[in-house]
Amino acid sequence: MDRRQLLLLAAAAPFGRALAASGYPSQTIRLVAPYAPGGTVDILSRQLAEPLRAGLGQSVIVENRGGAGGTLGADAVAKARPDGYTILFGAVHHAIAQSVYPKLGYDIREMSAVGFLGRVNHALIVNKDLPAGNVAELVRLLKADPEKYSYATPGAGTMQHLMAEYFKSVTGTRMMHVPYRGSAPAIVDIIAGNVHMMFETMPSAIQHIRAGSVRVIAVTSKDRSASLPDVPTAAESGAENYDATSWYGIYAPPGTPADTVASLNRAINGAFADAPFARRWVELGADAGGGTPAELAQLTRAEVARWAQVARNANIKVG
């Protein structure tokens, strides 16, 4: 067990005493995954539910509430009773939403940050028949016929949408946006050739990459991915200084009691202190999470500001 896991285990150790003192939880907890089944948030939510159940001593059920780039499920959690029994599997998408949805009915910065769940790389995947084997070849293809090619996303205003617009600005290219209701149907259409490419998260893309049903030409982080070490980054293969990853965290409704947040946070840290769980998490393409509620709150504020600038530059508004 490494030093980081020891620290997480130490943070999780007082859990039983806190549970006895507060009485939380005493009933089933709903973990809202605000995207369609089959995507990264759904995959990771279901992986996390079991260690949370073990750590909290109560059932944790995953409830998919997709739509509007993850904002429908987030809005439902933001307006739920602040008792810790309805929590959100949140993502960078919810930081982005603050800028791209003018009529958003909640503010992710006002929700109760609970715990960081790690970062996830994205893979630039293309239809396997697309005549481009790397970013440089893709850029030449897009510039030769700017009206011909399209990219898929799991919805307007999502991280994948902003990543594609960021790519366009860095490379000076154009392509058409085709939004879907979730990543799974988007990937189906890439495989079928109905849309050409997508900046998809590693956990939902990697099974299709390994099966050979799509082709990966780059990863989007600054450094290469441990999951696909032979695949170059977008920056090193033609998209200068390109660097973007997704991140995830658990949020509760605004005003959730501090001792309830602390109990949930200890359960999250306890999950990542467990070596087999942390290893499975990494195998899915995510970095291991953990940390304090304050650290997640700070990250949330910083990411709202960062992606607001990208949204302004691309003039992205939804609704």
Side-chain angles (χ1 to χ4, degrees):
M1 185 176 291
D2 62 24
R3 181 176 181 274
R4 180 178 174 283
Q5 288 175 320
L6 286 170
L7 290 171
L8 290 174
L9 190 58
F15 169 74
R17 293 192 294 276
L19 176 60
S22 69
Y24 172 86
S26 60
Q27 64 189 60
T28 297
I29 296 163
R30 290 189 303 138
L31 174 57
V32 175
Y35 297 96
T40 296
V41 167
D42 179 60
I43 293 168
L44 295 180
S45 294
R46 295 180 189 283
Q47 285 290 317
L48 184 63
E50 174 54 28
L52 287 186
R53 182 207 63 75
L56 293 167
Q58 286 290 341
S59 296
V60 177
I61 60 169
V62 176
E63 178 181 314
N64 292 96
R65 298 193 64 168
T71 63
L72 294 184
D75 185 67
V77 175
K79 294 172 180 174
R81 286 186 62 183
D83 54 12
Y85 293 106
T86 303
I87 58 177
L88 174 72
F89 194 113
V92 63
H93 304 278
H94 298 105
I96 290 169
Q98 297 302 145
S99 300
V100 303
Y101 285 83
K103 298 179 181 178
L104 199 64
Y106 68 95
D107 190 327
I108 192 68
R109 292 166 293 189
E110 296 176 357
M111 293 182 70
S112 298
V114 174
F116 181 62
L117 299 177
R119 290 184 180 273
V120 168
N121 209 335
H122 287 239
L124 173 49
I125 57 173
V126 301
N127 175 268
K128 61 183 181 180
D129 296 324
L130 190 75
N134 55 51
V135 168
E137 291 176 357
L138 176 62
V139 169
R140 285 197 292 271
L141 202 66
L142 295 175
K143 288 184 174 180
D145 198 344
E147 307 303 323
K148 181 177 180 180
Y149 297 99
S150 57
Y151 70 90
T153 72
T158 58
M159 178 62 165
Q160 289 90 330
H161 184 190
L162 270 74
M163 288 178 76
E165 293 299 321
Y166 178 29
F167 179 85
K168 286 166 58 179
S169 69
V170 166
T171 58
T173 55
R174 299 200 331 247
M175 47 183 164
M176 183 176 69
H177 177 210
V178 182
Y180 290 78
R181 289 182 62 86
S183 292
I187 293 175
V188 168
D189 265 11
I190 290 175
I191 294 169
N194 297 325
V195 66
H196 299 97
M197 67 199 77
M198 185 178 187
F199 290 80
E200 183 53 299
T201 53
M202 197 73 77
S204 64
I206 200 162
Q207 59 184 313
H208 303 286
I209 294 168
R210 289 172 175 164
S213 53
V214 299
R215 186 150 37 86
V216 57
I217 63 173
V219 295
T220 63
S221 54
K222 182 174 66 174
D223 301 312
R224 291 196 181 196
S225 168
S227 301
L228 296 171
D230 295 331
V231 177
T233 68
E236 71 180 284
S237 52
E240 187 176 357
N241 297 322
Y242 192 91
D243 178 19
T245 56
S246 284
W247 52 265
Y248 302 97
I250 296 294
Y251 296 84
T256 299
D259 60 346
T260 299
V261 169
S263 292
L264 287 164
N265 177 262
R266 279 189 289 271
I268 292 168
N269 285 340
F272 287 110
D274 178 69
F277 172 78
R279 185 165 54 250
R280 288 195 303 274
W281 198 257
V282 171
E283 287 169 353
L284 286 169
D287 295 336
T292 68
E295 288 168 337
L296 176 59
Q298 181 180 16
L299 172 67
T300 304
R301 291 190 296 269
E303 288 288 273
V304 168
R306 177 194 178 188
W307 291 105
Q309 183 63 51
V310 175
R312 282 194 296 269
N313 291 345
N315 194 31
I316 297 174
K317 291 290 182 185
V318 180

